[in-house]
């Protein structure tokens, strides 16, 4: 119910009510929500107030709109802890999901100034450039570009890339991965990201840069990823 005497804004109360119904399973993924008019009549409030609540939930990834059809409940976001270093493949398998990749391109290119600086290698040294879509249960989750030194990791093939790079590096190349540094920032999806991630234009994305290092401090990879903000979220535990 909505308490019009509460200090909490009415739109916020509507948001919380809808979120509770999603969390307790009353609203399932892809269920249609009642219309703004129905909510307005039910609570005897303006449609503008309802629209503000719905817009906030769409922006937060709880709901999505389809033009001419209405508003629907979004799929639950996948949550990744930032406390441990795992590959996308390892993370998806731990959730009981089937990870896969769609390779867009795989080539050896000369390192430019940015890449050579990130990998601590000479300018124009050969590097693998791997562009792929990462999927979970066949749903696109991220558009990823990986750079690795071709002098450090020899013999990389498309077949290896389609499995798990981390497992190949540790189990076959016998290099020990130690830690990674990540930066996250929000952005708006580019045309390329909209196409490959199957999301609407102007959708928010989580842009992540990841630098992974071996136990001796040697950079293993420099990765740029665009994650769907409607399907993915990151959490971190902080201790004092």
């Amino acid at each position: 119910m909505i308490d019009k005497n509460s200090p909490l804004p009415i739109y916020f109360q509507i948001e919380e009510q809808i979120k509770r119904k999603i969390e307790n399973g009353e609203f399932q993924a892809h269920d249609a929500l009642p219309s703004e008019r129905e909510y307005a009549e039910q609570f005897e409030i303006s449609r503008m107030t309802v629209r503000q609540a719905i817009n906030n939930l769409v922006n937060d990834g709880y709901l999505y709109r389809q033009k001419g059809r209405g508003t629907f409940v979004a799929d639950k976001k996948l949550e990744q802890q930032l406390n441990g270093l795992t590959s996308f493949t390892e993370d998806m398998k731990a959730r009981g999901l089937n990870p896969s990749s769609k390779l867009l391109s795989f080539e050896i290119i000369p390192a430019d100034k940015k890449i050579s600086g990130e990998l601590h290698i000479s300018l124009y040294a050969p590097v693998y450039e791997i562009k792929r879509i990462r999927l979970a249960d066949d749903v696109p989750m991220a558009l990823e570009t990986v750079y690795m030194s071709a002098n450090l990791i020899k013999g990389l093939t498309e077949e290896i890339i389609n499995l798990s790079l981390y497992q190949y590096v540790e189990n076959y190349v016998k290099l020990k991965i130690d830690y990674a540094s990540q930066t996250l920032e929000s952005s708006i999806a580019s045309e390329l990201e909209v196409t490959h991630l199957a999301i609407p234009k102007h959708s928010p994305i989580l842009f992540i840069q990841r630098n992974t290092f071996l136990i001796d401090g040697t950079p293993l990879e420099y990765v740029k990823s665009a994650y769907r903000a409607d399907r993915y979220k990151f959490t971190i535990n902080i201790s004092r």
Side-chain angles (χ1 to χ4, degrees):
M1 298 296 293
I2 298 301
D3 182 0
K4 295 182 179 180
N5 295 318
S6 170
L8 294 174
I10 293 176
Y11 72 84
F12 179 79
Q13 294 183 55
I14 296 174
E15 287 179 44
E16 292 302 300
Q17 183 183 106
I18 294 174
K19 283 195 283 188
R20 280 195 301 273
K21 289 187 176 183
I22 293 173
E23 289 163 1
N24 67 25
E26 187 174 342
F27 285 160
Q28 297 287 328
H30 309 298
D31 281 351
L33 233 63
S35 68
E36 291 179 4
R37 178 183 57 77
E38 289 174 308
Y39 272 125
E41 291 177 355
Q42 177 185 349
F43 299 125
E44 298 182 342
I45 57 177
S46 72
R47 291 181 63 174
M48 184 176 297
T49 300
V50 176
R51 187 173 298 122
Q52 183 175 359
I54 299 299
N55 285 342
N56 289 344
L57 291 171
V58 169
N59 292 335
D60 288 342
Y62 287 94
L63 307 174
Y64 67 93
R65 288 191 174 96
Q66 287 190 349
K67 191 172 182 179
R69 292 193 59 207
T71 305
F72 300 84
V73 178
D75 285 300
K76 187 176 180 180
K77 291 187 180 183
L78 294 176
E79 182 175 343
Q80 180 178 345
Q81 293 281 344
L82 292 180
N83 305 82
L85 177 54
T86 58
S87 68
F88 180 88
T89 298
E90 292 167 338
D91 186 41
M92 292 302 105
K93 285 183 176 179
R95 300 171 188 277
L97 301 175
N98 180 38
S100 59
S101 297
K102 180 180 178 182
L103 188 62
L104 300 177
S105 65
F106 171 52
E107 56 184 326
I108 295 178
I109 64 171
D112 61 17
K113 186 175 181 180
K114 172 66 174 176
I115 296 170
S116 63
E118 298 291 348
L119 294 178
H120 299 178
I121 58 177
S122 301
L123 189 63
Y124 309 127
V127 297
Y128 298 111
E129 181 187 64
I130 306 159
K131 295 185 178 182
R132 55 187 176 174
I133 304 170
R134 310 308 303 265
L135 305 99
D137 286 349
D138 296 324
V139 177
M141 291 291 173
L143 179 61
E144 177 184 84
T145 304
V146 180
Y147 299 98
M148 304 178 78
S149 169
N151 291 327
L152 177 66
I153 309 297
K154 299 182 184 297
L156 205 56
T157 66
E158 289 189 17
E159 183 180 4
I160 294 168
I161 291 168
N162 287 328
L163 298 174
S164 173
L165 277 176
Y166 280 15
Q167 290 183 12
Y168 176 75
V169 168
E170 294 194 313
N171 297 337
Y172 296 96
V173 186
K174 302 300 183 182
L175 295 175
K176 180 63 176 176
I177 300 171
D178 188 20
Y179 71 99
S181 173
Q182 288 193 151
T183 59
L184 290 79
E185 54 185 312
S186 61
S187 185
I188 299 298
S190 66
E191 289 187 16
L192 185 68
E193 291 155 356
V194 164
T195 299
H196 289 304
L197 296 179
I199 54 179
K201 288 184 178 180
H202 312 301
S203 292
I205 60 167
L206 295 171
F207 181 78
I208 300 173
Q209 177 178 315
R210 178 166 175 160
N211 297 73
T212 307
F213 299 86
L214 302 175
I215 198 163
D216 64 357
T218 300
L220 170 65
E221 64 177 356
Y222 162 51
V223 185
K224 300 184 295 182
S225 302
Y227 280 84
R228 290 177 54 164
D230 66 329
R231 295 303 310 276
Y232 226 85
K233 66 179 178 180
F234 294 85
T235 62
I236 186 168
N237 295 323
I238 301 174
S239 298
R240 179 169 177 170

